[in-house]
Amino acid sequence: MKTSELQRTETSPAARQRAVRVGRSLCPTVLCAALLVASAACTTTSRQVADMQPVTRNSSPSSMSELRIAEAALDAGNVELATSLFDKVVQADPKSVPGLTGLGNTLYAVGDFTRARVYYQRASSLEPNAAAPLIGIARVAIHQRRFDDAISTYHGVLARTPDDPMALAGLGAALDMKGDHAGAQAVLRQALKANPGDPLLSVNLGLSLVLGGDAREGANVLLDVTRFPGAPPQARQDLALAYGLLGNAEAAAEILAKDLPKASVQDNLRFYEIQRARMAQPGGSAGANGAATSAPTMEAASLR
């Protein structure tokens, strides 16, 4: 596979808009939120993995500058520019771990998870102890619903860096998606002791509580995050979900309207109604597996 092929990958305006939705986690449905917090989870998915990329000792000043610009472009949703710059870095140094990881991130942003995994694995083979490629591999595994693989990979990262907040957030998300909400919450609560106030971990914990059936406590956790001006968008979306499952449609609609068009707000309110009805049945819950098939905007906003 030639890296220049990435220049032709999902670079239309519509594709870039999808990438922004993936990176900023604006989808308020249960599965989307759970997937995106993994990158994990994420407050953005692309930026967080990019921030952890190691810079090799033989990187030239120009390559380091290009890497920083590429990471900023990807964080801003400009996948085409990011791809071009990461590709330039890799063309100059085919063994550039940050460059290969960055190309994986651009493919991840547009939903090409299979090819993203190829670049993450190539980077990981060059630097087996580098966390960023491994976290990318785990994020792809979550999107492909290979939860055990993701959990194993996150444990491998944590064996070397036990308090890594991204790996802990991703592990919590993977456990949630597998249905182990109690396990996820234990991981996230312990992670917050080591990383107090971390918004990503708090958002994941709030969502985990909602998915586990305790929407009221989840709402309280998410309220603590959303009261800050710089709160990540997914914190608001998860709070809207919590309110929706509690039956407070008016509060949920008000929150959703800050990030979504009116039609999407109504779609999500109907989704919340479906989930409340499901939870009212014997043995019902808002768990990710049960909600995934009913999410009205999940495929468009999260998986493509």
Side-chain angles (χ1 to χ4, degrees):
M1 184 192 313
K2 296 181 180 179
T3 54
S4 58
E5 293 176 359
L6 294 174
Q7 303 286 351
R8 302 190 295 273
T9 303
E10 295 277 2
T11 55
S12 66
R16 288 195 292 273
Q17 286 299 315
R18 287 199 298 272
V20 172
R21 287 197 296 272
V22 171
R24 293 301 181 186
S25 306
L26 294 183
C27 172
T29 59
V30 173
L31 179 58
C32 174
L35 286 172
L36 294 180
V37 294
S39 322
C42 199
T43 50
T44 66
T45 57
S46 303
R47 171 74 175 274
Q48 288 172 329
V49 171
D51 285 346
M52 296 179 62
Q53 292 176 9
V55 176
T56 55
R57 293 180 180 177
N58 60 351
S59 295
S60 66
S62 61
S63 294
M64 293 174 64
S65 298
E66 286 165 352
L67 285 168
R68 285 194 292 268
I69 296 170
E71 290 164 5
L74 185 56
D75 186 48
N78 192 335
V79 180
E80 186 173 11
L81 175 59
T83 299
S84 177
L85 291 171
F86 282 129
D87 184 54
K88 184 178 179 180
V89 171
V90 172
Q91 291 289 348
D93 178 9
K95 295 184 178 182
S96 170
V97 172
L100 291 167
T101 304
L103 287 174
N105 290 341
T106 63
L107 288 164
Y108 180 92
V110 298
D112 192 344
F113 304 120
T114 299
R115 293 177 68 203
R117 186 185 180 200
V118 170
Y119 281 96
Y120 290 141
Q121 288 179 324
R122 188 179 301 174
S124 187
S125 69
L126 292 168
E127 278 193 40
N129 292 330
L134 291 172
I135 288 176
I137 290 170
R139 292 158 68 216
V140 168
I142 289 179
H143 272 276
Q144 295 177 338
R145 303 189 69 78
R146 294 182 291 106
F147 304 130
D148 287 335
D149 289 345
I151 290 168
S152 175
T153 301
Y154 282 126
H155 277 305
V157 174
L158 292 168
R160 290 186 286 272
T161 53
D163 295 331
D164 186 313
M166 277 198 62
L168 289 166
L171 177 58
L175 290 168
D176 264 327
M177 293 303 295
K178 190 178 178 181
D180 184 3
H181 305 304
Q185 290 159 32
V187 166
L188 294 168
R189 291 186 193 280
Q190 187 64 33
L192 281 166
K193 291 180 180 179
N195 303 274
D198 186 290
L200 170 60
L201 294 169
S202 296
V203 170
N204 282 19
L205 176 60
L207 178 62
S208 181
L209 290 163
V210 174
L211 295 176
D214 195 344
R216 191 168 302 279
E217 185 179 353
N220 289 334
V221 172
L222 293 164
L223 276 169
D224 284 341
V225 181
T226 56
R227 65 189 177 91
F228 293 105
Q234 67 264 32
R236 295 192 295 274
Q237 306 311 310
D238 295 348
L239 180 59
L241 171 63
Y243 280 143
L245 295 180
L246 289 169
N248 192 342
E250 183 177 350
E254 182 179 351
I255 295 170
L256 291 171
K258 295 178 180 179
D259 298 307
L260 299 174
K262 187 175 181 179
S264 295
V265 171
Q266 294 304 313
D267 285 344
N268 282 283
L269 292 177
R270 285 192 290 271
F271 172 69
Y272 300 157
E273 282 187 45
I274 293 171
Q275 294 309 307
R276 285 202 306 275
R278 181 174 293 173
M279 291 167 63
Q281 298 173 358
S285 78
N289 292 334
T293 57
S294 302
T297 57
M298 174 268 291
E299 184 177 5
S302 176
L303 299 184
R304 282 196 237 171

